[in-house]
Amino acid sequence: MAEPALRIDGLTKQFGGLPAIADVSLDIMPGERHLLLGPNGAGKTTLFNLICGDLTPTGGSIRLFGSELVGLPPRKRTGFGLARTYQILTLFPHETLCRNVMLALNGLRRDKWRAWSPFGADASLRAEALAILDRVKLADLADRPVSQTAYGDRRRLEIAMALALAPRVLLLDEPLAGLSRDERVMVQDLLANLPEEMTVVLIEHDMDVALAFAERITLLHHGRVVTTGSRADIAADPRTREVYLGA
Ligand SMILES: Nc1ncnc2c1ncn2[C@@H]1O[C@H](COP(=O)(O)OP(=O)(O)OP(=O)(O)O)[C@@H](O)[C@H]1O
C-alpha cells in the first residue's frame, strides 16, 4: 500500500488541563480530498495548527510522506511540501498583490539572497507570480496594494500564496468564509481544478460545498476522532447526528 501523505498518530494537545486534541490518529493518502468535520470547538483548527507547526503537541507524531514534522519549525515544514491558508488573513497589507505572491515564491528559492538581482526587478519571478494570480482571477489587481482590495480578493490572494509554494499537501481553513456568491463560485472552481496529485485537507462549514469536494471525511468531537469514512459512511453513521444534535 502507498505511503500516506499525512500520517497522524496518537496526537494530543492540551491547553492547561483540557485536551483540545485527544489521541488523534489519522491517515490521509496522496491526492485525497479530505474534510475535517465537527461542531465549533471540535479541534479542527487546532489540528491544522499542530500540523503546520504553529502549535507544539503535548504528545504524538505527524509524518508528511514519512518525515516526522513534530519538532520542526513551520518554515521547514513548508520546505517538505506543506502549505495552509488561515481563517485570519496573514498578508503584507502595504505590498501589492503581485509582491505578496513574489515573496511567497521567493521563500522557496535557494538563491533568494542574490545581492546583484534586486527582488522587485526579477522579471521571471514577476511572471510566475502573475500566472499564479491569474489562476485565482486576480491578475487585473496585481499592482494594487493589498490594503486597497476587498475582503474576497484577499482570501483568494491567500490561496494564491499557498499555491505559490507548490505544496504536496494543502490545508485550507474555511476558504469560502465571508465570500460573495460570485467569489464562492470562483473559489469552488479553483478547488475543483487543483492538481490531482495534490493532497487537500479542508475545514469548511458549508456542507454542500464540503461534501461535493471531499472523498473522505473525519468527524471530530471534543478533540477526538469519532469516525473516518466516505461521504456515505458519515451520512449513514448515527454518531454524526448525535454530534450535531448533541443527543
Ligand atoms: N490557544 C488556545 N488556548 C486555549 N484554548 C484553546 C486555544 N486554541 C483553541 N483552544 C480550545 O481548543 C478547543 C478546540 O478549538 P478549535 O478552534 O480547534 O476548534 P474548531 O473545531 O476549529 O472550532 P471552529 O469551528 O469554531 O473554528 C476549544 O475548546 C478552544 O477553546
Side-chain angles (χ1 to χ4, degrees), residues 18 39-40 52 61 71 80 83-84 90 95 108 140 152 214 221 226 228:
L18 295 173
N40 290 340
C52 73
S61 151
F80 275 123
R84 81 172 282 188
T90 49
E95 296 285 359
L108 287 182
D140 290 355
H221 191 38
V226 177
T228 295

Side-chain angles (χ1 to χ4, degrees), residues 79-112:
F80 275 123
L82 185 71
R84 81 172 282 188
T85 60
Y86 289 81
Q87 269 174 310
I88 300 159
L89 296 160
T90 49
L91 305 170
F92 300 103
H94 302 297
E95 296 285 359
T96 63
L97 273 61
C98 191
R99 277 185 65 95
N100 267 272
V101 178
M102 287 167 78
L103 285 162
L105 285 169
N106 203 46
L108 287 182
R109 293 201 167 179
R110 289 174 144 261
D111 58 352
K112 57 187 162 183

Side-chain angles (χ1 to χ4, degrees), residues 200-218:
V200 187
V201 190
L202 178 76
I203 299 174
E204 180 54 58
H205 285 293
D206 183 322
M207 274 310 121
D208 290 340
V209 173
L211 295 178
F213 178 78
E215 294 157 336
R216 283 174 65 77
I217 300 169
T218 293

Side-chain angles (χ1 to χ4, degrees), residues 1-24:
M1 200 173 141
E3 181 177 55
L6 203 56
R7 167 160 279 179
I8 297 171
D9 197 17
L11 196 68
T12 298
K13 176 65 185 177
Q14 302 214 341
F15 292 111
L18 295 173
I21 289 293
D23 196 21
V24 165

Side-chain angles (χ1 to χ4, degrees), residues 184-200:
R184 292 166 75 85
V185 171
M186 226 183 270
V187 172
Q188 270 178 268
D189 192 44
L190 179 73
L191 296 184
N193 288 301
L194 288 173
E196 253 177 58
E197 66 278 10
M198 193 183 282
T199 308
V200 187

